[in-house]
Amino acid sequence: MKKMLGIVLVAVLFVGPSAYAERADLLINSGWKFHKGDAKAYAATFDDADWDPVNLPHTWNAQDGQDGGSDFYRGPGWYRRTLNIEDIGGKRFYLHFEGALTTTDAYVNGKSVGQHKGGYAAFRFDITDHVQPGENVLAVKVDNVLDADVPPLSGDWTFFGGIYRDLHLLVVDPVHID
């Protein structure tokens, strides 16, 4: 076992890091449009011109949730932005959320890429099959209504709705280490 480890270490030292593919981790926190309330905003052609411009991290409870009481907005909020991808080139693409509360549905170019329930852990969606060269429309619906399937079910704090941590676009080779 030690001999094999030594061979691998020597190979890595002589081949060098340039032989390994680059992993791109792009922070996509700026340039979003936001709407508090429900909408059918997943379609790529949806008109979001009158929505509020926001940057992430963002919560819609910044004002009404300050006292920690129960009188704050609980419901859906929508985020949208375009993302230009010049070269797909056999790469894999992931949206990596560091945190969003409580139920998150994501769409790329009008197609669902997944749903996540939970608010206090990172998660990601593989969007490879939905991106195209050029302009891509990202739409994210987040809902902070308490869900019987998602703990915690209650607390003496505000359940802040929104994408309240950074959001990344990860671009990797088909064979990679998560």
XYZ file of all heavy atoms in Angstrom, residues 110-160:
391
model
N -36.731 27.960 -18.550
C -38.104 27.500 -18.459
C -38.278 26.057 -18.037
O -39.402 25.585 -17.877
N -37.196 25.329 -17.821
C -37.262 23.913 -17.444
C -36.857 23.738 -15.982
O -35.866 24.305 -15.531
C -36.324 23.064 -18.309
C -36.536 23.223 -19.789
C -37.833 22.615 -20.231
C -37.923 22.697 -21.745
N -39.214 22.491 -22.265
N -37.613 22.933 -15.258
C -37.292 22.659 -13.853
C -35.991 21.870 -13.760
O -35.785 20.893 -14.487
C -38.422 21.848 -13.213
O -38.066 21.470 -11.902
N -35.112 22.309 -12.841
C -33.861 21.581 -12.600
C -33.841 20.950 -11.225
O -32.906 20.235 -10.886
C -32.620 22.480 -12.804
C -32.517 22.909 -14.257
C -32.631 23.680 -11.883
N -34.884 21.198 -10.419
C -34.967 20.518 -9.138
C -35.636 21.336 -8.063
O -35.907 22.522 -8.225
N -35.915 20.628 -6.965
C -36.495 21.241 -5.778
C -35.697 20.779 -4.561
O -35.293 19.610 -4.480
C -37.956 20.818 -5.607
C -38.610 21.466 -4.386
C -40.041 21.007 -4.192
O -40.292 19.879 -3.790
N -40.977 21.912 -4.484
N -35.483 21.709 -3.641
C -34.817 21.385 -2.379
C -35.686 21.875 -1.237
O -36.176 23.003 -1.263
C -33.444 22.054 -2.299
C -32.780 21.867 -0.970
N -32.142 20.697 -0.634
C -32.691 22.674 0.104
C -31.680 20.808 0.594
N -31.999 21.999 1.071
N -35.865 21.007 -0.229
C -36.590 21.401 0.982
C -35.607 21.422 2.138
O -34.906 20.444 2.386
C -37.732 20.426 1.267
C -38.849 20.538 0.267
C -40.042 19.714 0.685
C -41.196 19.975 -0.258
N -42.458 19.548 0.305
N -35.590 22.536 2.841
C -34.682 22.732 3.960
C -34.096 24.119 3.855
O -34.082 24.718 2.782
N -33.614 24.629 4.965
C -33.152 25.996 4.909
C -31.766 26.237 5.446
O -31.252 27.339 5.314
N -31.143 25.250 6.027
C -29.908 25.532 6.746
C -28.727 24.706 6.260
O -27.760 24.511 6.977
C -30.138 25.311 8.241
C -31.248 26.197 8.755
C -32.500 25.674 9.055
C -31.051 27.563 8.892
C -33.533 26.502 9.505
C -32.066 28.391 9.335
C -33.297 27.855 9.637
O -34.310 28.673 10.069
N -28.787 24.227 5.029
C -27.680 23.457 4.471
C -27.507 23.816 3.003
O -28.451 24.206 2.325
C -27.962 21.951 4.605
N -26.301 23.664 2.525
C -26.009 23.914 1.113
C -26.607 22.789 0.265
O -26.796 21.671 0.723
C -24.509 23.991 0.901
N -26.895 23.122 -0.993
C -27.402 22.130 -1.935
C -27.078 22.593 -3.340
O -26.727 23.750 -3.558
C -28.915 21.928 -1.763
C -29.737 23.168 -1.941
C -30.313 23.473 -3.168
C -29.945 24.048 -0.879
C -31.074 24.616 -3.329
C -30.710 25.197 -1.034
C -31.274 25.483 -2.263
N -27.186 21.674 -4.296
C -26.905 22.048 -5.686
C -27.788 21.280 -6.647
O -28.275 20.210 -6.348
C -25.439 21.872 -6.029
C -24.931 20.472 -6.097
C -23.459 20.409 -6.462
N -22.669 21.172 -5.537
C -21.399 20.955 -5.277
N -20.763 19.995 -5.905
N -20.746 21.700 -4.427
N -27.955 21.913 -7.815
C -28.721 21.316 -8.900
C -27.818 21.192 -10.119
O -27.112 22.139 -10.474
C -29.926 22.182 -9.281
C -30.930 22.374 -8.184
C -31.254 23.639 -7.748
C -31.572 21.290 -7.601
C -32.198 23.837 -6.746
C -32.517 21.467 -6.604
C -32.827 22.748 -6.170
N -27.864 20.042 -10.774
C -27.151 19.830 -12.029
C -27.990 20.449 -13.143
O -29.115 20.023 -13.402
C -26.965 18.333 -12.267
C -26.142 18.018 -13.503
O -25.948 18.908 -14.361
O -25.691 16.861 -13.619
N -27.458 21.471 -13.798
C -28.211 22.178 -14.843
C -27.643 21.913 -16.235
O -28.054 22.547 -17.203
C -28.268 23.697 -14.553
C -26.874 24.328 -14.588
C -28.961 23.952 -13.220
C -26.897 25.846 -14.544
N -26.733 20.962 -16.333
C -26.026 20.700 -17.586
C -26.961 20.488 -18.770
O -26.734 21.032 -19.851
C -25.114 19.468 -17.424
O -24.240 19.688 -16.314
C -24.302 19.208 -18.679
N -28.000 19.712 -18.591
C -28.896 19.376 -19.700
C -29.791 20.539 -20.113
O -30.530 20.420 -21.098
C -29.763 18.170 -19.335
C -28.947 16.900 -19.170
O -27.829 16.831 -19.727
O -29.410 15.980 -18.470
N -29.747 21.639 -19.393
C -30.654 22.756 -19.662
C -29.961 24.032 -20.131
O -30.621 24.953 -20.590
C -31.502 23.045 -18.423
C -32.251 21.840 -17.958
N -33.355 21.351 -18.617
C -32.026 21.010 -16.928
C -33.798 20.266 -17.997
N -33.006 20.043 -16.975
N -28.630 24.099 -19.996
C -27.922 25.297 -20.449
C -27.635 25.200 -21.935
O -27.568 24.114 -22.502
C -26.615 25.561 -19.665
C -26.885 25.851 -18.204
C -25.644 24.420 -19.814
N -27.480 26.341 -22.552
C -27.179 26.426 -23.974
C -26.134 27.510 -24.162
O -26.004 28.401 -23.323
C -28.448 26.765 -24.750
C -29.077 28.072 -24.298
C -30.508 28.237 -24.765
O -31.151 27.291 -25.171
N -30.993 29.460 -24.721
N -25.391 27.450 -25.258
C -24.443 28.540 -25.522
C -25.208 29.852 -25.694
O -26.270 29.890 -26.311
C -23.779 28.129 -26.837
C -24.033 26.664 -26.970
C -25.324 26.403 -26.275
N -24.707 30.907 -25.093
C -25.361 32.210 -25.170
C -26.126 32.517 -23.904
O -25.741 32.123 -22.808
N -27.241 33.211 -24.067
C -28.022 33.685 -22.927
C -28.899 32.577 -22.337
O -29.604 31.876 -23.056
C -28.892 34.853 -23.361
C -29.541 35.586 -22.211
C -30.231 36.844 -22.667
O -29.524 37.862 -22.848
O -31.459 36.820 -22.843
N -28.846 32.447 -21.010
C -29.654 31.487 -20.272
C -30.415 32.239 -19.183
O -29.859 33.122 -18.533
C -28.770 30.415 -19.628
C -28.116 29.532 -20.658
O -28.667 28.516 -21.022
N -26.947 29.928 -21.139
N -31.670 31.872 -18.983
C -32.503 32.526 -17.974
C -32.604 31.617 -16.752
O -33.045 30.467 -16.854
C -33.912 32.832 -18.520
C -34.779 33.455 -17.431
C -33.823 33.762 -19.726
N -32.177 32.144 -15.608
C -32.310 31.437 -14.335
C -33.509 32.013 -13.599
O -33.645 33.232 -13.484
C -31.060 31.624 -13.472
C -29.708 31.288 -14.085
C -28.605 31.548 -13.067
C -29.671 29.867 -14.570
N -34.373 31.146 -13.097
C -35.512 31.564 -12.285
C -35.536 30.681 -11.052
O -35.407 29.453 -11.155
C -36.816 31.430 -13.065
N -35.669 31.307 -9.886
C -35.659 30.568 -8.627
C -36.844 31.030 -7.784
O -36.988 32.224 -7.509
C -34.344 30.792 -7.846
C -34.367 30.016 -6.532
C -33.134 30.406 -8.691
N -37.659 30.078 -7.383
C -38.771 30.359 -6.474
C -38.388 29.816 -5.098
O -38.006 28.663 -4.957
C -40.051 29.671 -6.953
C -41.225 29.869 -6.022
C -42.434 29.081 -6.517
C -43.594 29.196 -5.548
N -44.728 28.353 -6.001
N -38.465 30.689 -4.094
C -38.191 30.290 -2.719
C -39.448 30.583 -1.907
O -40.065 31.637 -2.070
C -36.982 31.058 -2.137
C -36.672 30.588 -0.726
C -35.760 30.900 -3.023
N -39.818 29.660 -1.043
C -41.028 29.817 -0.230
C -40.678 29.519 1.223
O -40.182 28.435 1.528
C -42.102 28.847 -0.736
C -43.485 29.172 -0.220
O -43.592 29.695 0.911
O -44.457 28.874 -0.924
N -40.928 30.479 2.114
C -40.595 30.283 3.528
C -41.790 29.895 4.390
O -41.740 30.024 5.610
C -39.880 31.506 4.111
C -40.773 32.727 4.226
O -41.759 32.874 3.515
N -40.405 33.632 5.117
N -42.865 29.397 3.766
C -43.982 28.859 4.544
C -43.491 27.599 5.237
O -42.803 26.773 4.634
C -45.188 28.546 3.619
C -46.257 27.760 4.356
C -45.764 29.829 3.060
N -43.829 27.460 6.513
C -43.407 26.273 7.241
C -44.059 25.046 6.634
O -45.243 25.029 6.325
C -43.753 26.401 8.715
C -43.015 27.529 9.442
C -43.406 27.561 10.910
C -41.521 27.400 9.299
N -43.265 24.005 6.457
C -43.688 22.767 5.817
C -43.545 21.640 6.840
O -42.496 21.506 7.471
C -42.788 22.521 4.599
C -43.181 21.311 3.786
O -43.642 20.308 4.364
O -43.008 21.360 2.556
N -44.579 20.822 6.981
C -44.563 19.745 7.972
C -43.441 18.740 7.714
O -43.064 17.995 8.617
C -45.911 19.021 7.978
N -42.886 18.718 6.497
C -41.807 17.790 6.170
C -40.418 18.384 6.383
O -39.417 17.711 6.162
C -41.919 17.358 4.703
C -43.172 16.556 4.433
O -43.674 15.885 5.362
O -43.663 16.602 3.294
N -40.342 19.660 6.757
C -39.055 20.334 6.857
C -38.873 20.921 8.249
O -39.546 21.880 8.608
C -38.949 21.474 5.804
C -37.584 22.123 5.864
C -39.226 20.953 4.413
N -37.965 20.364 9.053
C -37.712 20.968 10.362
C -36.861 22.221 10.211
O -36.138 22.341 9.218
C -36.962 19.878 11.113
C -36.381 18.989 10.064
C -37.234 19.137 8.838
N -36.907 23.144 11.152
C -37.747 23.144 12.342
C -39.170 23.580 11.987
O -39.382 24.343 11.049
C -37.077 24.175 13.245
C -36.428 25.126 12.295
C -36.012 24.305 11.110
N -40.119 23.077 12.742
C -41.511 23.387 12.489
C -41.955 24.665 13.174
O -42.969 25.254 12.812
C -42.399 22.218 12.926
C -42.102 20.895 12.205
C -43.021 19.804 12.717
C -42.221 21.053 10.712
N -41.223 25.076 14.192
C -41.535 26.326 14.871
C -40.284 26.807 15.585
O -39.313 26.079 15.722
C -42.682 26.128 15.873
O -42.275 25.254 16.911
N -40.344 28.042 16.038
C -39.222 28.612 16.763
C -39.537 30.033 17.157
O -40.504 30.624 16.664
N -38.730 30.588 18.045
C -38.955 31.957 18.486
C -38.047 32.914 17.723
O -37.477 33.830 18.266
C -38.762 32.081 19.993
C -37.359 31.719 20.436
O -36.599 31.172 19.610
O -37.021 31.982 21.599
N -37.926 32.680 16.427
C -37.131 33.520 15.559
C -37.857 33.671 14.224
O -38.803 32.965 13.930
C -35.738 32.928 15.332
C -35.750 31.592 14.644
C -35.753 31.367 13.304
C -35.782 30.305 15.256
N -35.787 30.030 13.038
C -35.803 29.335 14.235
C -35.794 29.854 16.577
C -35.830 27.981 14.476
C -35.823 28.488 16.802
C -35.838 27.573 15.775
N -37.375 34.584 13.420
C -37.946 34.812 12.106
C -37.396 33.783 11.130
O -36.191 33.554 11.077
C -37.586 36.229 11.616
O -38.098 37.175 12.551
C -38.168 36.511 10.249
N -38.273 33.171 10.352
C -37.867 32.274 9.281
C -37.676 33.133 8.031
O -38.597 33.310 7.242
C -38.918 31.179 9.054
C -38.976 30.186 10.166
C -39.775 30.405 11.280
C -38.218 29.034 10.109
C -39.825 29.487 12.309
C -38.260 28.104 11.142
C -39.060 28.330 12.249
N -36.481 33.703 7.916
C -36.200 34.634 6.827
C -36.322 33.936 5.490
O -35.699 32.911 5.252
C -34.793 35.229 6.970
C -34.682 36.207 8.089
C -34.190 35.826 9.327
C -35.092 37.512 7.905
C -34.093 36.736 10.359
C -34.995 38.437 8.930
C -34.501 38.043 10.171
